[in-house]
Amino acid sequence: MKKNRIAIIITSILIVIAVLLLWNNRYLTTLRGDAYDFTVRDTASVTRLFFADKSGNQVLLQRTDNGWLVNGKYDAQPVMVDNMLYTLDKLRIKMPVSLASHDNVITRMAGTNTKVEVYQIVPRINLFNKVKLFPHEKRTKVFYIGDVTQDNNGTYVLKEGADKAYIVHLHGFRGFISSRFSASEEDWRDHKVFSEKIADIKSVKVEFNGRDDRGFIINELGRYKYEMYRLGDNSQINIDTIKVLNFLSAFNDIRFESFLTDIPEQRKDSVINSPFMERITLTTKDGSEKIVTTFNMLNLEDYALDGEEWGVNPDHKYAYIENNDELVMVQDFAFGKLLRPAEYYDRSFVMPQRMVRVQELEEIPSR
């Protein structure tokens, strides 16, 4: 009799819990409503984002303790990831697609769309959105992003398994958002070349092809103490400490402008095997080494049918990142501060001043 009573109590408790969970799920769904069907409010719980398009491109963004990774290999651009999480938070349904155009929209989306999957840490038990127990990773959202509306202020979207498409927009934003859901790996990758803190740098060697008198190596001796030698004759330089510290601090954030994956492999090999301009070798205290080599970028006139080269580009260079086996384009404005000659860091160095002729001043147009 006592055992039956215990069984009845346990069964009753389980039934009550099941009813509460069912009611709570309906309660939360009602609160969200259709307008929030594609929204991710708790973006801090997002662990992975997956994008795939009809061209075969796929991108997996994964949160780690050291930041977000792209396809498990490359660091992601923090700004791009933050922008995506903001988009998911503010995404709202503007209106359902009209019956008159619904079939056409679905047909276009069948040929051109990007699949979006959102994974989050969610509780297995969620009572009234107050008591959350047994967290685990779960795929919480799956939908397809289509093209834009005619007025460019909305984007078509279809939830997986649904037969009704919607027009979504970003709350507080005028425009379309389909371009934010890119399945191209390059769109998400960080463009950093160097990101080393000054405290982690053991040595830096800068080589100038054919000009050993300009090349140098800097070694750390202790906290903010360094020695510097010319590569040509191994003579020590009486360094200007401020200039050296500025040089080493610059390695904290050096980025390239763009990828060059669209150039033919033959052209890439030709550039890498050509005479280099400068080579930077950075060694950290943990023994890792990063080598970046620059090459002249030659201008090509668009109308030159035979591919005739028209001089050196003064603002851009090729840069070969040996660690990633990648050829990229860098701006001289950003990279040039790493490529000053050895004499610049000598305490006795004085920047030469160019004399300006009176004729040059007279040629300056007046306003």
Side-chain angles (χ1 to χ4, degrees):
M1 190 68 166
K2 187 175 180 180
K3 291 182 178 179
N4 291 337
R5 186 180 302 170
I6 294 175
I8 293 173
I9 292 174
I10 293 175
T11 303
S12 300
I13 292 174
L14 293 175
I15 292 174
V16 170
I17 291 175
V19 171
L20 287 173
L21 289 175
L22 180 62
W23 180 87
N24 182 65
N25 184 62
R26 291 180 178 177
Y27 168 75
L28 293 176
T29 302
T30 302
L31 284 181
R32 286 193 297 265
D34 288 343
Y36 292 87
D37 208 18
F38 303 96
T39 302
V40 178
R41 301 306 300 273
D42 185 13
T43 57
S45 67
V46 176
T47 56
R48 287 187 290 163
L49 296 168
F50 177 76
F51 308 97
D53 61 21
K54 286 292 185 177
S55 299
N57 300 311
Q58 294 185 1
V59 167
L60 175 64
L61 302 178
Q62 187 172 5
R63 189 195 295 267
T64 70
D65 293 337
N66 297 319
W68 288 78
L69 289 181
V70 181
N71 289 338
K73 298 183 295 182
Y74 307 105
D75 292 334
Q77 293 190 55
V79 173
M80 289 288 293
V81 175
D82 290 343
N83 191 39
M84 172 51 60
L85 295 177
Y86 175 84
T87 300
L88 292 173
D89 180 34
K90 301 300 181 182
L91 196 63
R92 301 289 186 272
I93 290 179
K94 190 175 183 180
M95 64 181 71
V97 176
S98 65
L99 293 177
S101 60
H102 192 273
D103 290 345
N104 290 333
V105 170
I106 294 298
T107 300
R108 291 204 306 271
M109 289 188 67
T112 304
N113 68 73
T114 299
K115 183 179 183 181
V116 180
E117 297 182 4
V118 181
Y119 295 79
Q120 295 176 265
I121 297 296
V122 296
R124 296 185 186 276
I125 297 177
N126 186 357
L127 296 176
F128 310 109
N129 211 24
K130 300 292 184 182
V131 180
K132 302 178 181 180
L133 303 174
F134 310 115
H136 69 295
E137 186 183 54
K138 179 182 179 181
R139 189 175 67 174
T140 57
K141 303 281 183 181
V142 183
F143 54 89
Y144 299 87
I145 293 286
D147 54 6
V148 303
T149 57
Q150 290 185 349
D151 61 1
N152 288 330
N153 286 323
T155 304
Y156 296 114
V157 63
L158 179 67
K159 190 175 181 179
E160 187 179 55
D163 54 5
K164 185 177 182 181
Y166 291 90
I167 298 174
V168 297
H169 70 128
L170 199 60
H171 184 66
F173 173 77
R174 185 176 178 82
F176 58 90
I177 59 171
S178 55
S179 59
R180 300 189 180 199
F181 295 87
S182 172
S184 172
E185 182 180 81
E186 291 183 2
D187 289 341
W188 294 99
R189 284 186 54 187
D190 199 352
H191 284 205
K192 64 185 178 184
V193 179
F194 293 104
S195 59
E196 282 69 27
K197 297 179 180 179
I198 187 171
D200 297 329
I201 297 176
K202 180 181 179 181
S203 68
V204 178
K205 181 169 67 173
V206 180
E207 302 171 73
F208 296 83
N209 191 18
R211 293 296 303 273
D212 287 344
D213 59 311
R214 296 168 63 92
F216 60 87
I217 184 170
I218 296 176
N219 299 312
E220 187 204 38
L221 298 178
R223 182 175 174 83
Y224 301 125
K225 294 181 180 179
Y226 303 93
E227 62 179 4
M228 184 174 183
Y229 295 91
R230 291 182 177 85
L231 295 181
D233 55 9
N234 203 34
S235 61
Q236 188 168 359
I237 299 174
N238 184 22
I239 61 173
D240 184 325
T241 305
I242 299 300
K243 289 182 178 179
V244 170
L245 290 175
N246 288 335
F247 168 73
L248 295 174
S249 298
F251 284 95
N252 185 54
D253 188 19
I254 298 293
R255 299 172 181 272
F256 61 86
E257 181 174 318
S258 62
F259 291 95
L260 295 174
T261 53
D262 57 336
I263 68 173
E265 193 68 24
Q266 183 178 1
R267 175 64 177 168
K268 175 184 174 181
D269 293 339
S270 175
V271 171
I272 295 174
N273 293 319
S274 65
F276 72 92
M277 293 298 297
E278 301 95 8
R279 177 174 290 128
I280 301 174
T281 304
L282 185 148
T283 305
T284 57
K285 293 179 181 178
D286 62 4
S288 63
E289 191 175 72
K290 183 174 291 185
I291 302 175
V292 178
T293 307
T294 67
F295 303 87
N296 271 334
M297 176 174 285
L298 300 176
N299 289 321
L300 293 175
E301 292 292 341
D302 294 335
Y303 54 81
L305 299 179
D306 58 352
E308 184 180 355
E309 296 171 340
W310 291 67
V312 176
N313 188 321
D315 302 318
H316 296 87
K317 293 180 179 181
Y318 292 117
Y320 177 62
I321 306 175
E322 186 171 311
N323 303 68
N324 295 340
D325 188 26
E326 282 188 313
L327 188 68
V328 298
M329 181 171 69
V330 297
Q331 282 188 351
D332 188 65
F333 175 79
F335 225 72
K337 55 190 172 183
L338 304 181
L339 301 175
R340 297 186 177 100
E343 63 176 354
Y344 172 80
Y345 300 96
D346 195 309
R347 188 184 296 272
S348 61
F349 175 76
V350 178
M351 184 72 71
Q353 301 293 324
R354 189 177 75 89
M355 297 296 293
V356 179
R357 296 177 299 169
V358 175
Q359 182 181 357
E360 293 182 64
L361 295 175
E362 292 176 348
E363 292 174 352
I364 298 176
S366 59
R367 296 187 179 183

